[in-house]
Amino acid sequence: MPELPEIETVKRIIGPQIRGLAIESISVRRPEVIAHPAADEFCRRLRGQTFDATTRRGKFLVIRLESGDKVIIHLRMTGCLLVTPADYPEEKHTHIVFRMDNGKALRFSDTRRFGRLWLLQKEEADTYSGMERLGKEPLSPDFTAEYLASKLGKRKKAVKECLMEQGAIAGIGNIYSDEILFAAGIYPARPANSLTGEEWERLAEVIPERLSFFIRKNEISPEEYLETKGRDYRNTPFLQVYGHEGEPCPTCKTSLCRMVIGGRSSTYCPSCQQGDKEFNESRKTKEQTV
């Protein structure tokens, strides 16, 4: 699933291309990808409106219209947005096409059809998308160690799982939680309530630094993005641990290990992330005293 850096990339590519353009017509091939309102009403309300600014909230894209209405989009696993010339070959799983007054089209495709779109009117409360339940943006100035400790510091769950809780931190998923914990030197299975104040401070620094790093590495031109059909802009060459089980750690050359935490794969370095040894010894001590 695309995470915060990928959605930020899509925002920066798509937003400038559609800003100020009016929607002349809309074709909906798969009505079920429109979660609110019904597809007919969605098209009726949007036809003739003009795109304004495009923003991001966690893993959600928000396309604002000059009227004050907004389209919220979640790409989920395989969703993709492309701005194309009218005669550009259409992707097989294209579900919605917005035709604009400059002759180009904004197309939404999704192989697995998990992605969703919501249209909210200017004063309409968002009780549909779940975006209002998101936690703090990790790139915001008030993303602090105090915030992290207050939201997660009493949790018994593994810190890896806690970093992926969208109600606490918006936008981090399986890939970047691995990268963040490696950079912070924290064992992914550590209970969040075992982290020290110093470790929360370290996470508060590492989280925005790593996400910003991957946003920079994701930079791609609109032409390249279209040429690769929005698929080849991700950070695979720059990932240090995710997906590298059995390979040498980029820091100490120890073989990277993999475990499953909360049903999700996690790759880590047993040497650089030595919390595993400390945590296990602490757990054994507690068990012996019971």
Side-chain angles (χ1 to χ4, degrees):
M1 177 185 292
E3 300 180 27
L4 187 154
E6 286 74 42
I7 301 304
E8 181 68 22
T9 299
V10 175
K11 182 201 84 173
R12 295 182 183 190
I13 291 292
I14 299 298
Q17 294 187 81
I18 64 174
R19 187 167 191 172
L21 299 179
I23 302 167
E24 290 193 334
S25 64
I26 306 168
S27 296
V28 177
R29 286 79 182 268
R30 287 281 184 177
E32 66 268 27
V33 304
I34 299 173
H36 173 78
D40 289 347
E41 182 69 5
F42 179 91
C43 295
R44 186 189 67 77
R45 291 185 191 173
L46 278 176
R47 197 175 297 114
Q49 292 218 49
T50 299
F51 290 122
D52 192 13
T54 302
T55 59
R56 178 194 55 75
R57 179 75 171 97
K59 301 178 188 179
F60 290 84
L61 275 176
V62 182
I63 301 177
R64 301 184 183 277
L65 300 149
E66 289 186 354
S67 66
D69 293 355
K70 59 187 176 184
V71 178
I72 300 172
I73 304 172
H74 201 302
L75 299 179
R76 301 281 168 81
M77 297 293 290
T78 57
C80 178
L81 285 172
L82 292 176
V83 175
T84 72
D87 58 353
Y88 192 80
E90 195 169 287
E91 291 295 283
K92 181 179 178 181
H93 299 282
T94 297
H95 305 315
I96 303 177
V97 178
F98 301 85
R99 296 178 186 86
M100 300 175 289
D101 61 355
N102 70 342
K104 291 191 174 183
L106 173 64
R107 299 176 181 175
F108 172 75
S109 62
D110 189 357
T111 304
R112 300 183 70 177
R113 300 201 299 276
F114 292 157
R116 290 293 181 268
L117 289 83
W118 300 261
L119 171 62
L120 299 181
Q121 294 180 290
K122 184 176 181 179
E123 302 298 335
E124 187 176 4
D126 183 6
T127 60
Y128 308 98
S129 71
M131 193 171 66
E132 297 302 311
R133 296 192 295 271
L134 293 177
K136 198 173 290 294
E137 280 288 322
L139 301 181
S140 66
D142 57 348
F143 185 80
T144 63
E146 290 75 20
Y147 172 77
L148 287 174
S150 69
K151 292 292 287 188
L152 305 174
K154 295 181 181 180
R155 304 293 300 277
K156 295 180 180 180
K157 289 175 69 172
V159 63
K160 158 91 173 183
E161 292 182 89
C162 289
L163 291 184
M164 295 191 293
E165 287 188 3
Q166 300 304 297
I169 310 171
I172 298 174
N174 202 36
I175 296 173
Y176 296 112
S177 56
D178 275 3
E179 296 297 308
I180 287 162
L181 290 169
F182 174 71
I186 296 173
Y187 180 61
R190 280 267 303 279
N193 64 3
S194 74
L195 268 62
T196 65
E198 180 183 347
E199 287 171 319
W200 288 120
E201 290 283 354
R202 200 184 313 155
L203 278 174
E205 293 178 4
V206 166
I207 289 171
E209 185 279 324
R210 285 290 82 190
L211 294 175
S212 297
F213 169 82
F214 286 113
I215 288 169
R216 292 194 302 273
K217 292 300 181 183
N218 262 349
E219 287 181 0
I220 186 173
S221 71
E223 293 77 19
E224 292 170 318
Y225 181 85
L226 178 59
E227 183 180 350
T228 59
K229 296 180 173 59
R231 297 193 186 107
D232 250 358
Y233 63 95
R234 301 190 185 179
N235 280 307
T236 304
F238 305 102
L239 297 174
Q240 294 188 290
V241 291
Y242 180 84
H244 292 286
E245 174 194 0
E247 297 179 21
C249 167
T251 301
C252 71
K253 308 308 178 187
T254 301
S255 291
L256 297 173
C257 297
R258 176 184 174 275
M259 70 174 85
V260 176
I261 300 173
R264 307 296 295 276
S265 171
S266 183
T267 307
Y268 70 101
C269 174
S271 179
C272 295
Q273 294 165 269
Q274 287 211 359
D276 56 346
K277 182 178 179 182
E278 296 166 9
F279 169 55
N280 288 333
E281 287 178 351
S282 172
R283 183 172 58 184
K284 286 177 184 177
T285 301
K286 289 179 181 178
E287 289 172 352
Q288 289 168 0
T289 58
V290 172

